[in-house]
Amino acid sequence: MPDNLAERRVANAVRTGGISAGPIYDAVLRTAALHARGDVLDFGAGSGTVAAQMADIPAVTSVTAADLAPAAGEASPSKVRWVQADLNEALPLPAASFDLVVAVEIIEHLENPRAVAREWKRLLRPGGTLVMSTPNVECIRSLLALWFRGHFLPFTEPWYPAHITALTAADVHRVLTEAGFLDVQVGYTGHGRIPKLAVTWQQLSFGALRGRRYSDNLVAIARVP
């Protein structure tokens, strides 16, 4: 069992395999595909799922996948360049290298969201696009955990210490705006589990219940001037 916090975070990442839930990938990829062109960075690539799918889009010239873990899973060496690095630090890549940055469920793992947002802006070319997702701490399920357990659900055990930075939709908007992004828009996956049950709000309501209170994750898009 790792002793220090950094080792525990790495161990958790290895244990989960860097894989997010399907509805999160679906929501992010729907948005990212609309802006996928040129050079793409999958920031926090995990298993390489997003990197592999970005590489299959004809308008995409190259895909770079960056993660703390080594290349694994779906990332194809023939299509995807893998950069192994601590994402709390600046990546060893030149400024203005990418037309699109995709960051799926990673900002909550990192220590300084504002520094991360500034790094995303540094890496994007003028006119480039960021698409990111993170747990929605304002959904009913998470707010109930805050009330009864003292913290937002995705930031209690067993997610902690992998999940360390909780952001509301307003926080995401502030972080990206303060980093210099424009046209920041925050939406939701439209997929959220009912507390203590193995069904979703959407299944219960035949799709009627969506949005902030009924989605476990949010998705934001923004652009560089």
Side-chain angles (χ1 to χ4, degrees), residues 116-139:
V116 175
R118 289 192 294 269
E119 176 67 356
W120 290 337
K121 184 174 182 293
R122 182 187 75 84
L123 292 166
L124 279 164
R125 294 174 179 137
T129 303
L130 166 73
V131 179
M132 60 153 288
S133 72
T134 194
N136 172 28
V137 296
E138 297 173 274
C139 69

Side-chain angles (χ1 to χ4, degrees), residues 207-225:
L209 296 176
R210 305 175 67 83
R212 180 173 58 170
R213 298 301 184 210
Y214 305 102
S215 300
D216 289 342
N217 303 81
L218 66 79
V219 178
I221 181 171
R223 69 176 180 88
V224 171

Side-chain angles (χ1 to χ4, degrees), residues 38-125:
D39 301 306
V40 176
L41 172 65
D42 183 4
F43 186 94
S47 66
T49 298
V50 171
Q53 295 198 40
M54 288 290 104
D56 287 337
I57 296 175
V60 171
T61 305
S62 73
V63 179
T64 299
D67 201 272
L68 180 63
E74 298 182 35
S76 168
S78 64
K79 293 183 177 180
V80 179
R81 174 179 63 151
W82 199 275
V83 176
Q84 187 175 1
D86 182 349
L87 302 184
N88 285 296
E89 308 294 336
L91 290 181
L93 299 170
S97 292
F98 301 100
D99 300 291
L100 172 66
V101 171
V102 183
V104 182
E105 303 298 294
I106 187 62
I107 196 169
E108 68 272 11
H109 293 262
L110 304 177
E111 295 172 354
N112 188 334
R114 284 171 170 77
V116 175
R118 289 192 294 269
E119 176 67 356
W120 290 337
K121 184 174 182 293
R122 182 187 75 84
L123 292 166
L124 279 164
R125 294 174 179 137

